[in-house]
Amino acid sequence: MGGGGPEPEVDFYRLMVEGAEGLFFYIHDAEHRFTWLSPSVRSVLGFEPEELLGRPYDDLLDPGRPANGVHASTDGALADGVRREPYEAFVRRKDGTGIVLELIEEPFPAPDGPTRMRGFARDITRRKEEQDALRRSERRFRSLVEATSDWIWEVDRNGRYTYVSPKVVDLLGYSVEEILGRSPFDLIVPEERDAVRAAFERCVREKRPIARLENTNLRSDGGRVVLETSGVPLFSETGQLTGFHGVDRDVTDRKRLELQFLQAQRLEAVGRLAGGIAHDFNNLLTVILGFNELASTSAAAEASPELRQRLGEIRKASERAASLVRKILAFSRRQVVELRVVDLHAGLNELAPMLRRLLGEDVTLALRFTSRPALVKADPTQIEQVVVNLAVNARDAMPEGGTLSIETEIVDLDGGAGSSECVRLTVADTGTGMPPEVLGKIFEPFFTTKPLGVGTGLGLSTVYGLVRQLEGDILVESRPGAGTTFTIHLPTSRERRSAERPRTSEGEIPLGTESVMVVEDEPAIRRVVEDALRACGYEVHAPATAEEALEILTRRPDRFALLLTDVVMPGLSGPALAERVRAVAPKVRLVFMSGYAEEVIARHGGEASGTPFLPKPFTIAQLARKVREVLDAGETEVR
């Protein structure tokens, strides 16, 4: 039984709590001194009841913890006689270990003395530890949820959000409060709702998780975000659906890259197709152009004006067809790059009709050129790619029409020293313009502000690469609502004077008397090249195969001054033939010709640095000039 002498008023409590585990009953006076404790105090605090009688409860309180709450509750109840709510106290056991007690007490007025306090003390240390562990776990979970880049959510059985992590603000632009209570289908674009709803219904029916379900959601600003949804259906013990919890991941950039990759693959396929078609067309056009010129030359004296006109139309059509093939290869970026001095003004004037069709009727094209020649060393197709890409971007920035201005100016970046003279090409539009955060990324590969599936994000990065390839630089200025201006500086050609000399007309073909060997597997091309060179005065030998040509050159290494060979041929290729010729006839000069695209020529070893190259189709004049140019270049070794 408890210590402290007989206490009739505690008999009832004694019956209740004697021997109870984990709690004890007590009474203390107004000075906080214990007047009675149940025997179970020894299991809770390790003290015998007699050891605590007459001692204030302050002796038990943990000195490292504030006791204000204990004093306030006890003294307040003693003062006004009103029972206080349960409270907690940190105390020390007899062995010094700390525990947490939950105290439930009330004023205990005695008829023959001052008011005292009586109450229960329950050891809740384990419960507190479990609660603390749970809170720590919740904090860890919350920190993980809030730190992850994914959006975590829960919905109830009616499909309404009951929890959403703060990441929803970044993904969709809505606040957490705006999302709670809404249905996921309020956010999914209308055209995908039925498919997503069917997937969730199938998930519930088959009682299995849903994984990596892609769906497009609308942002608060009207933009679109592609999310990858994974979720688990929740069921009651009776098998009734109670809700879902899951996670959404933003895969917009990944989807954009996938689409760009697929588009790049399609362009690759188009490019390969273009390369093969170009080879066949180039061979056909070489024959057409060659024989048309030979016919025009032989019939020049007696031909009627109508015949000469018709032959001229054939030549013009063939040249337009050759230009079209070059444009196809330029689009697929498979053309053989041929750097030469070009007149920027002439190229832009030639490109203008196509630009006007590209821009549409509601966009005005304004060309303003400096009076000085704008000569740069480039491949004409490179210039076309730069201007066309900039024009396409300008058109898209002017959906309601506007003006695209293309201007040129000759400037000296050294301030008059003359050593850094450049052609300044300015392409400016009156479109919507760009904010600073977009302006800083426009030359990055795959960056685009266009909707998903529209555009490759490669246009301006291609422009940047081409300009740098030409040893130039490009700057951009833009403001929202104020249009965009691209300024390109290209170094003027050091070969300007020679380029400005009058060129030989197509009718003035250089002649020669040297012996030339022609190797070409296409009989029609072999025949037209043979006839053309003979007409220019050369002695021509044209064997049917490369093997036959090598045999002749091995027997007569000093007979031929030049070998003109196709690159891609059955059996011994042109570059392989050149290697063999190097050993047996080192003085023979070499010219490659081909109608294939650049990467095919490179694959066959025809991308030989320093080796003269004649791309098909070519005119008789171009053929004669190339042969004469190589023969007049002096003593060179076959490479």
Side-chain angles (χ1 to χ4, degrees):
M1 304 294 283
E7 291 276 358
E9 65 272 19
V10 301
D11 286 344
F12 173 72
Y13 298 106
R14 179 178 292 119
L15 292 173
M16 291 179 58
V17 302
E18 275 189 357
E21 293 292 330
L23 60 88
F24 65 91
F25 177 76
Y26 63 89
I27 298 175
H28 67 75
D29 59 20
E31 283 75 35
H32 308 157
R33 298 180 184 277
F34 289 112
T35 61
W36 185 86
L37 297 103
S38 68
S40 57
V41 70
R42 69 171 65 93
S43 66
V44 178
L45 298 179
F47 291 97
E48 294 294 334
E50 293 78 7
E51 293 180 272
L52 296 177
L53 288 175
R55 292 176 59 181
Y57 64 60
D58 284 11
D59 290 352
L60 297 176
L61 297 179
D62 188 337
R65 304 274 187 162
N68 298 339
V70 177
H71 292 157
S73 179
T74 299
D75 295 342
L78 286 169
D80 57 23
V82 178
R83 180 177 178 175
R84 292 297 189 262
E85 294 295 325
Y87 65 92
E88 296 174 1
F90 295 91
V91 302
R92 291 284 180 180
R93 288 171 47 86
K94 186 175 181 178
D95 61 8
T97 57
I99 62 173
V100 184
L101 297 179
E102 181 183 60
L103 304 174
I104 304 174
E105 57 186 14
E106 63 181 358
F108 177 35
D112 56 349
T115 299
R116 291 175 290 174
M117 293 291 291
R118 62 186 177 185
F120 287 99
R122 184 190 306 274
D123 184 357
I124 60 169
T125 306
R126 178 172 295 181
R127 190 179 79 188
K128 290 292 292 183
E129 290 173 348
E130 291 173 350
Q131 289 175 344
D132 289 343
L134 180 60
R135 278 193 291 269
R136 288 194 298 271
S137 176
E138 288 176 345
R139 283 196 297 270
R140 283 196 300 270
F141 173 75
R142 184 172 299 278
S143 64
L144 287 172
V145 167
E146 294 181 355
T148 183
S149 59
D150 298 335
W151 167 28
I152 298 173
W153 49 264
E154 290 181 352
V155 296
D156 60 19
R157 63 188 305 273
N158 298 315
R160 301 289 173 178
Y161 285 113
T162 56
Y163 171 79
V164 290
S165 65
K167 187 61 181 178
V168 70
V169 179
D170 297 331
L171 289 183
L172 299 180
Y174 294 102
S175 67
V176 171
E177 292 73 20
E178 290 175 305
I179 295 294
L180 290 175
R182 297 184 67 177
S183 165
F185 298 104
D186 294 342
L187 307 173
I188 296 173
V189 295
E191 61 268 27
E192 296 183 12
R193 288 174 186 167
D194 290 343
V196 175
R197 184 176 283 107
F200 271 88
E201 290 173 351
R202 186 167 57 252
C203 168
V204 173
R205 188 169 58 251
E206 299 175 1
K207 294 187 176 181
R208 61 174 179 80
I210 193 166
R212 298 183 178 180
L213 174 66
E214 290 183 0
N215 53 98
T216 306
N217 286 244
L218 291 169
R219 286 179 49 85
S220 62
D221 59 7
R224 294 191 170 202
V225 179
V226 182
L227 299 179
E228 185 181 76
T229 299
S230 298
V232 178
L234 306 175
F235 298 95
S236 68
E237 293 181 358
T238 60
Q240 298 298 311
L241 179 71
T242 60
F244 270 90
H245 60 221
V247 59
D248 277 353
R249 173 167 295 173
D250 184 358
V251 294
T252 308
D253 290 340
R254 190 189 76 192
K255 291 298 294 182
R256 191 187 301 278
L257 288 174
E258 287 175 358
L259 288 173
Q260 288 167 344
F261 177 68
L262 291 174
Q263 191 161 10
Q265 284 186 315
R266 288 195 293 269
L267 289 175
E268 177 76 14
V270 170
R272 290 184 181 277
L273 178 64
I277 293 174
H279 166 257
D280 294 338
F281 268 96
N282 286 335
N283 280 344
L284 293 171
L285 291 170
T286 299
V287 174
I288 294 170
L289 283 168
F291 279 122
N292 178 73
E293 285 190 78
L294 289 173
S296 299
T297 302
S298 61
E302 62 241 19
S304 65
E306 290 82 5
L307 178 59
R308 286 197 297 271
Q309 181 184 2
R310 289 168 183 169
L311 290 172
E313 290 300 324
I314 293 174
R315 179 179 60 80
K316 290 178 183 178
S318 300
E319 289 174 347
R320 284 197 298 272
S323 176
L324 179 60
V325 172
R326 285 195 299 272
K327 284 181 170 60
I328 292 174
L329 288 175
F331 164 76
S332 63
R333 303 186 71 186
R334 278 178 156 74
Q335 78 277 17
V336 178
V337 176
E338 185 182 358
L339 296 180
R340 63 177 186 267
V341 177
V342 297
D343 181 356
L344 202 58
H345 296 161
L348 292 172
N349 279 323
E350 184 180 345
L351 192 61
M354 186 180 78
L355 289 179
R356 289 191 172 92
R357 290 193 299 271
L358 181 70
L359 294 171
E361 295 181 357
D362 54 352
V363 176
T364 301
L365 177 64
L367 301 178
R368 289 185 283 272
F369 299 155
T370 179
S371 58
R372 294 178 58 186
L375 302 175
V376 297
K377 193 164 188 178
D379 188 301
T381 57
Q382 291 176 313
I383 301 297
E384 287 182 9
Q385 276 187 282
V386 168
V387 177
V388 168
N389 274 321
L390 292 179
V392 168
N393 277 276
R395 178 200 63 193
D396 294 343
M398 296 184 288
E400 298 180 0
T403 300
L404 176 67
S405 302
I406 301 178
E407 302 181 12
T408 63
E409 185 181 358
I410 306 299
V411 297
D412 192 339
L413 299 182
D414 277 352
S419 59
S420 297
E421 191 174 78
C422 292
V423 176
R424 176 181 289 162
L425 173 65
T426 304
V427 181
D429 65 61
T430 58
T432 55
M434 294 176 281
E437 61 270 19
V438 172
L439 201 61
K441 298 180 180 180
I442 59 170
F443 293 125
E444 295 179 7
F446 300 115
F447 175 78
T448 179
T449 58
K450 296 176 182 177
L452 194 64
V454 180
T456 64
L458 294 172
L460 290 178
S461 64
T462 299
V463 168
Y464 181 84
L466 289 171
V467 171
R468 297 301 296 168
Q469 188 177 352
L470 296 174
E471 299 183 359
D473 61 63
I474 181 169
L475 305 172
V476 58
E477 297 179 24
S478 185
R479 294 196 315 276
T484 301
T485 300
F486 288 91
T487 303
I488 298 170
H489 291 101
L490 297 174
T492 54
S493 172
R494 298 188 180 93
E495 304 170 28
R496 182 175 60 180
R497 290 184 179 177
S498 60
E500 289 176 339
R501 291 200 304 266
R503 297 183 179 185
T504 305
S505 68
E506 285 292 310
E508 296 174 345
I509 298 175
L511 307 177
T513 59
E514 292 89 345
S515 295
V516 176
M517 178 174 285
V518 176
V519 181
E520 167 62 60
D521 62 307
E522 290 286 343
I525 298 178
R526 186 169 66 246
R527 189 164 58 252
V528 73
V529 171
E530 184 179 2
D531 290 353
L533 290 177
R534 283 204 176 102
C536 293
Y538 295 100
E539 179 188 345
V540 184
H541 192 82
T545 66
E547 288 77 9
E548 184 181 345
L550 180 61
E551 182 182 348
I552 295 171
L553 285 165
T554 302
R555 292 199 315 266
R556 302 286 301 275
D558 298 326
R559 177 180 175 183
F560 297 95
L562 183 138
L563 170 65
L564 175 64
T565 177
D566 193 19
V567 173
V568 182
M569 297 183 293
L572 198 62
S573 69
L577 173 62
E579 287 295 323
R580 305 282 186 88
V581 170
R582 178 190 299 166
V584 299
K587 293 184 179 180
V588 174
R589 295 156 182 79
L590 175 69
V591 176
F592 285 146
M593 58 180 173
S594 181
Y596 271 111
E598 184 176 7
E599 87 287 350
V600 178
I601 298 170
R603 192 163 63 244
H604 286 80
E607 199 181 41
S609 58
T611 302
F613 180 78
L614 184 63
K616 299 175 184 175
F618 47 77
T619 64
I620 291 177
Q622 290 168 335
L623 169 66
R625 291 195 193 100
K626 179 61 72 174
V627 169
R628 191 70 261 156
E629 172 191 315
V630 174
L631 289 171
D632 291 343
E635 191 71 18
T636 58
E637 186 179 8
V638 174
R639 293 191 275 177

